[in-house]
């Protein structure tokens, strides 16, 4: 996820994606998920590829249909509300556009997706996604950890709207990928490896508003646990995003809790931990 995007309408809805404009997608074809077979029940992630402005890129699509609510920090369709689809799209390093929400809507339109949806973005290789399953919960994760660090870090001069993992040329320390603070004369200018850990969690049960927010926190805790278990000294990247998708609640209001010791929160935590750990181990090996 990156900053600087337009906000949803006050009622939480998103406009129907615009017609395909300004996004040169030459072709889109289906690829069947390979390594990570997903349960047959519930929405499945489709791995797709596209040719866009001379780049060969991948994206994941979830066609949710009616009756699904999503809580998300995504750049397009973030917040809590009914959503018909989720899109996690790969973009190239050196990403030049300043309207990622519109770009995602254009990709969605090229896919034939209509109605309100959620769009995430990453420079990591989406085809290398990993998945974890536990008790009906599925977590699908794309992991890029080239620009990583701790959440509580000293103040930096990098603008909040910057997206460091998309930049073509960053000044970084070769050991950690962190912004370089040494004398400019001794700096090493190296394009960092792609960043962003995007997490999409699907549940078969409805959650209350509070439980949806709690589920985001639980997924984040599990992500950090997995990164530490992988031997990485970080809590994530500056642009990580989380989506929790669950059926809309009925008169009972949905499950009230999703903390890590609640039944459904524990399943979320284990599924996310499995998926992030599988994606983080290759990043550790490249460090």
């Amino acid at each position: 996820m990156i900053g600087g995007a337009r906000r949803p309408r006050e009622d939480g809805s998103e406009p129907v994606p615009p017609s395909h404009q300004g996004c040169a997608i030459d072709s889109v074809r289906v690829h069947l998920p390979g390594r990570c077979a997903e349960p047959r029940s519930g929405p499945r992630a489709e791995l797709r590829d596209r040719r866009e402005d001379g780049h060969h890129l991948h994206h994941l699509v979830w066609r949710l249909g009616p009756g699904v609510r999503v809580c998300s920090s995504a750049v397009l369709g973030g917040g809590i509300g009914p959503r018909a689809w989720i899109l996690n799209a790969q973009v190239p390093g050196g990403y030049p556009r300043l309207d990622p929400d519109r770009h995602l809507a254009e990709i969605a339109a090229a896919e034939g997706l209509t109605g309100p949806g959620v769009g995430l973005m990453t420079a990591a290789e989406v085809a290398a996604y990993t998945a974890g399953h536990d008790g009906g919960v599925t977590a699908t994760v794309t992991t890029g950890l080239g620009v990583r660090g701790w959440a509580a870090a000293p103040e930096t001069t990098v603008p909040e709207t910057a997206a460091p993992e998309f930049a073509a040329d960053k000044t970084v320390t070769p050991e950690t990928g962190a912004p370089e603070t040494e004398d400019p004369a001794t700096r090493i200018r190296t394009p960092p490896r792609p960043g962003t850990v995007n997490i999409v969690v699907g549940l078969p049960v409805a959650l209350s508003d509070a439980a949806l927010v709690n589920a985001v926190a639980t997924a984040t805790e599990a992500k950090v646990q997995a990164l530490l278990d992988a031997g990485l000294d970080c809590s994530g990247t500056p642009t990580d995003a989380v989506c929790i998708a669950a059926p809309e609640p009925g008169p009972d209001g949905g499950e009230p809790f999703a903390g890590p010791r609640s039944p459904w929160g524990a399943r979320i935590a284990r599924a996310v931990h499995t998926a992030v750990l599988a994606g983080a181990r290759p990043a550790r090996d490249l460090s």
Side-chain angles (χ1 to χ4, degrees):
M1 176 190 133
I2 58 178
R6 295 191 298 271
R7 300 296 182 189
R9 295 170 178 161
E10 290 185 1
D11 64 359
S13 66
E14 288 287 333
V16 174
S19 60
H20 181 199
Q21 301 176 18
C23 183
I25 300 175
D26 297 326
S27 65
V28 178
R29 66 182 186 272
V30 175
H31 278 228
L32 295 177
R35 303 167 317 286
C36 307
E38 298 188 17
R40 294 185 180 275
S41 61
R44 299 182 61 187
E46 302 173 25
L47 178 62
R48 321 243 325 163
D49 71 5
R50 70 188 190 277
R51 299 281 179 175
E52 182 179 333
D53 296 333
H55 297 283
H56 182 202
L57 304 166
H58 294 91
H59 53 273
L60 287 165
V61 177
W62 290 258
R63 303 175 193 273
L64 305 177
V68 177
R69 206 163 61 135
V70 176
C71 177
S72 173
S73 60
V75 67
L76 173 68
I80 299 177
R83 301 289 185 265
W85 48 267
I86 299 172
L87 171 69
N88 185 11
Q90 179 186 356
V91 296
Y95 183 69
R97 293 185 60 160
L98 300 177
D99 58 345
D101 54 338
R102 181 173 181 82
H103 186 187
L104 286 162
E106 290 166 351
I107 298 171
E111 278 285 357
L113 302 173
T114 60
V118 173
L120 306 95
M121 190 172 279
T122 180
E125 176 51 74
V126 166
Y129 77 94
T130 54
H133 313 287
D134 194 287
V137 174
T138 297
T140 306
V141 176
T142 54
T143 308
L145 290 162
V147 180
R148 61 180 185 260
W150 297 102
E155 186 173 358
T156 175
T157 57
V158 177
E160 290 185 2
T161 55
E165 82 284 12
F166 300 148
D169 187 17
K170 280 281 182 292
T171 302
V172 298
T173 59
E175 295 82 10
T176 66
E180 177 64 78
T181 57
E182 300 289 334
D183 183 347
T186 63
R187 288 177 178 171
I188 299 176
R189 300 192 67 81
T190 306
R193 293 186 301 276
T196 300
V197 178
N198 283 341
I199 299 171
V200 177
V201 176
L203 290 94
V205 299
L207 300 179
S208 68
D209 285 1
L212 279 172
V213 175
N214 204 174
V216 171
T218 296
T220 303
E221 289 181 39
K223 174 197 72 174
V224 176
Q225 181 181 345
L227 295 176
L228 297 179
D229 287 347
L232 297 169
D233 57 343
C234 65
S235 58
T237 84
T239 52
D240 292 354
V242 180
C243 285
I244 308 292
E248 291 185 345
D252 64 352
E255 294 288 329
F257 305 113
R261 294 287 70 84
S262 68
W264 288 103
R267 293 164 186 159
I268 292 169
R270 289 190 293 265
V272 170
H273 182 271
T274 297
V276 174
L277 185 60
R281 281 174 171 156
R284 175 199 60 193
D285 295 339
L286 290 172
S287 298

